Amino acid sequence: MSDRATCSVIIDGMPFEVDATISVAAALMNAGLHIRRSVTGEPRAALCGMGVCHECRVTIDGERHRRACLTAVAAGQVITRDE
Amino acid sequence: MNDVTRFDVVVVGAGPGGLAAAVTASAGTSSVALIDEGAAPGGQIWRRDVHAGHSLEGREWTAALAKTPVVTLDRAAVVDVESGAGRHRLLVQRDGRTMMVESATVILATGARELFLPFPGWTLPGVLGVGGAQAMAKSGLEVRGRRVVVSGSGPLLVAVAASLAKRGADVIAVVEQASPGMMFRFGAGMIAKPRTALEAMRFLQELRGGTLRFGRWVARALGRTRVEQVVITDGSNDQVVDCDLLCTAYGLVPNTELARLFGCRSRGTGIEVDIHQRASIDGVYAVGECVGVAGVESALIEGMVAGQAAVGLTPSDFVLRRRDQARRWGRKLDEVFALRPEVLGLASADTIVCRCEDVRLGAIDPSWSRRQAKLYARVGMGACQGRVCGAALQRIHGWEEDVARPPLQPVILSALTGSAAGALTGAH
């Protein structure tokens, strides 16, 4: 794991070093973060992992409602959780 | 901006069925498009692992695809369709923009999704599906050292548990709701399928003795901001185990939304097709799990049958017989893994059943239809458009299948341009 390529992304304004090849959902969950809050404020993370449930939706590079489980991380990516 | 890209054949879904269809069709025409929501071909079962790459079969078929002139549109979701004058137009959303793809011939290989049955605590972070956990692990979710429970129903449980164990997860328990008697029948049936039997034995070798238990299910997940413990029960006795990753799902549900948007007929178990995989709408074919959950072999053969038929070739009787055999195996699986009533009754009145709108089971009158539940309690009005709650409540409250309406995925208004915008707001 130590020789895997990494890249820097910004999550809610804070820099994170993540594995360069993984999905945004995996990056968020590996960092111990929940992905979104439900309409009544519950913390949520990925459920279906394949783009069906939309629990993993986040804003990526200004584009809202991106499914994080279907999106790869990229250097300099700006990820904002809809808190 | 009113571009319409025409192809002789358009295939939707790049899992085994779609790959086989696209590769086969491309032997008869060079004008084939393959549309998929994922970042790369493979679908779910052949999802490319971000570190380890493709499985052997996945590599074979994606390599075969790469040798063809098939145009692959990754990260692309079909959100609407319009049929007329002997051709079908598909509105595709991709990278924040929309495009139109047109063909007289469409092959649907939209696969299946997991059946999630709600239970107390299922919305906690760290509760994933079974195929979902596999998908997340292949996409880079770290599972090494995590305390994992795999539960629910179906052949995926043992396969995924073994895969997670190989990745260094501490798999504490694998609990299958089907009774030991049912599982004995499954085991006996595998005598006819030595390759499957061998695979199952290899999976079981990855698990510690005593891990796999039958006639049990997870009744609740406990934790404050993420799952910390789960309660495993056999209906009489409860066992609480520490767990920080719960992988749970109760089998697969075919993804028939796109086919139904075309107007194709579907039974509850999948899209209706004839012996050459033709659906009930002219020019539309369907293959694989969306026709009925039956596994990889079934999807591959049906993809080949449809790919041939789509370019005017006649599939051989030999291939059609193999296809029928593969389908029969699928029906056997349905019997063995039939769901016991207890797992439909795990949710209590204050368990959230619609995760998108946080609607609790107690807010839904059991006598309501699906439409009434939507209007009175907002069930199914959220981002997943009823895909998760709908499948569960169909089985809990006996709802009918939902009507397919566009857009099939949420569309950003700014992505719509010109004729694309007209298509979406137009003739439905």
Side-chain angles (χ1 to χ4, degrees):
Chain A
M1 180 151 138
S2 50
D3 54 359
R4 282 187 187 153
T6 61
C7 68
S8 268
V9 299
I10 314 273
I11 301 173
D12 292 348
M14 294 211 309
F16 279 81
E17 198 74 17
V18 302
D19 188 311
T21 60
I22 66 178
S23 72
V24 174
L28 289 165
M29 292 180 76
N30 287 344
L33 302 171
H34 63 268
I35 301 184
R36 74 174 192 102
R37 286 212 176 260
S38 74
V39 295
T40 59
E42 286 191 350
R44 297 281 174 84
L47 171 72
C48 79
M50 51 186 74
V52 172
C53 73
H54 292 256
E55 288 281 38
C56 67
R57 59 186 184 274
V58 288
T59 301
I60 299 177
D61 294 335
E63 205 185 313
R64 295 194 64 227
H65 215 120
R66 296 285 302 276
R67 287 172 281 176
C69 70
L70 294 179
T71 313
V73 299
Q77 199 176 55
V78 177
I79 299 159
T80 315
R81 299 184 294 169
D82 293 334
E83 288 277 271
Chain B
M1 282 299 173
N2 298 346
D3 282 336
V4 179
T5 316
R6 288 176 188 80
F7 294 92
D8 283 351
V9 179
V10 170
V11 181
V12 182
L19 283 167
V23 170
T24 306
S26 76
T29 169
S30 58
S31 167
V32 181
L34 176 61
I35 300 172
D36 192 76
E37 287 188 327
Q44 303 314 320
I45 193 162
W46 289 347
R47 179 184 292 262
R48 186 191 60 190
D49 186 301
V50 294
H51 297 128
H54 275 293
S55 65
L56 185 62
E57 268 189 309
R59 212 178 310 140
E60 280 177 356
W61 280 96
T62 51
L65 179 74
K67 293 198 178 81
T68 68
V70 172
V71 173
T72 303
L73 298 172
D74 292 325
R75 307 178 314 280
V78 179
V79 295
D80 196 5
V81 301
E82 184 232 318
S83 303
R87 90 292 178 273
H88 303 287
R89 282 198 181 160
L90 287 72
L91 184 63
V92 177
Q93 180 169 237
R94 185 182 194 218
D95 295 335
R97 288 187 294 276
T98 53
M99 53 187 291
M100 292 275 251
V101 170
E102 179 183 294
S103 180
T105 305
V106 178
I107 302 177
L108 302 176
T110 48
R113 59 184 182 271
E114 295 192 280
L115 175 64
F116 297 115
L117 297 177
F119 55 91
W122 76 301
T123 57
L124 285 167
V127 178
L128 294 170
V130 176
Q134 177 79 299
M136 289 295 296
K138 284 185 173 179
S139 308
L141 180 72
E142 291 294 340
V143 299
R144 183 165 295 280
R146 295 190 71 168
R147 292 182 60 91
V148 172
V149 171
V150 183
S151 78
S153 200
L156 268 181
L157 262 58
V158 167
V160 171
S163 170
L164 295 175
K166 269 176 93 167
R167 291 169 191 272
D170 184 11
V171 180
I172 311 291
V174 182
V175 289
E176 161 66 61
Q177 58 87 37
S179 68
M182 283 300 201
M183 296 316 301
F184 181 71
R185 280 178 62 186
F186 180 52
M190 281 207 279
I191 288 170
K193 294 184 106 321
R195 226 182 66 174
T196 310
L198 222 60
E199 204 177 43
M201 286 197 295
R202 274 209 309 273
F203 289 149
L204 290 171
Q205 274 181 333
E206 293 290 337
L207 304 175
R208 285 195 303 264
T211 308
L212 175 59
R213 309 297 297 275
F214 304 110
R216 282 166 176 75
W217 53 94
V218 167
R220 67 169 55 227
L222 301 162
R224 208 174 51 84
T225 58
R226 52 162 55 122
V227 62
E228 291 162 16
Q229 292 176 310
V230 299
V231 178
I232 297 171
T233 187
D234 61 4
S236 316
N237 300 301
D238 290 354
Q239 183 197 7
V240 182
V241 300
D242 291 336
C243 164
D244 59 38
L245 187 64
L246 172 62
C247 315
T248 181
Y250 286 88
L252 299 174
V253 170
N255 291 326
T256 60
E257 289 78 17
L258 178 54
R260 289 185 289 114
L261 195 60
F262 271 106
C264 297
R265 271 196 311 270
S266 96
R267 309 156 313 229
T269 51
I271 302 159
E272 279 183 22
V273 293
D274 72 6
I275 58 162
H276 290 165
Q277 309 300 140
R278 287 188 181 89
S280 62
I281 295 292
D282 270 350
V284 180
Y285 295 75
V287 303
E289 307 284 75
C290 65
V291 171
V293 174
V296 176
E297 205 182 308
S298 208
L300 276 175
I301 300 172
E302 292 186 346
M304 290 192 268
V305 168
Q308 288 183 320
V311 296
L313 299 170
T314 309
S316 69
D317 285 342
F318 172 71
V319 165
L320 295 181
R321 269 199 308 275
R322 277 190 59 204
R323 186 268 315 274
D324 294 342
Q325 262 176 357
R327 280 271 153 216
R328 274 198 293 275
W329 173 248
R331 284 195 290 278
K332 254 199 197 80
L333 289 182
D334 285 343
E335 285 171 26
V336 167
F337 293 105
L339 297 180
R340 61 176 63 223
E342 293 95 318
V343 300
L344 294 174
L346 297 174
S348 64
D350 59 67
T351 305
I352 285 175
V353 294
C354 166
R355 298 171 65 119
C356 297
E357 298 291 327
D358 283 9
V359 184
R360 294 167 199 274
L361 183 64
I364 307 167
D365 190 314
S367 72
W368 286 346
S369 66
R370 177 194 290 261
R371 190 169 170 274
Q372 284 173 312
K374 211 185 247 194
L375 291 172
Y376 304 154
R378 297 193 58 81
V379 178
M381 287 193 112
C384 90
Q385 297 173 301
R387 283 178 175 88
V388 173
C389 62
L393 291 164
Q394 241 172 275
R395 287 150 179 83
I396 295 171
H397 284 336
W399 286 354
E400 279 179 13
E401 199 168 44
D402 199 6
V403 174
R405 282 186 200 84
L408 291 180
Q409 292 291 345
V411 172
I412 309 289
L413 273 180
S414 60
L416 297 179
T417 58
S419 68
L424 202 63
T425 57
H428 283 284

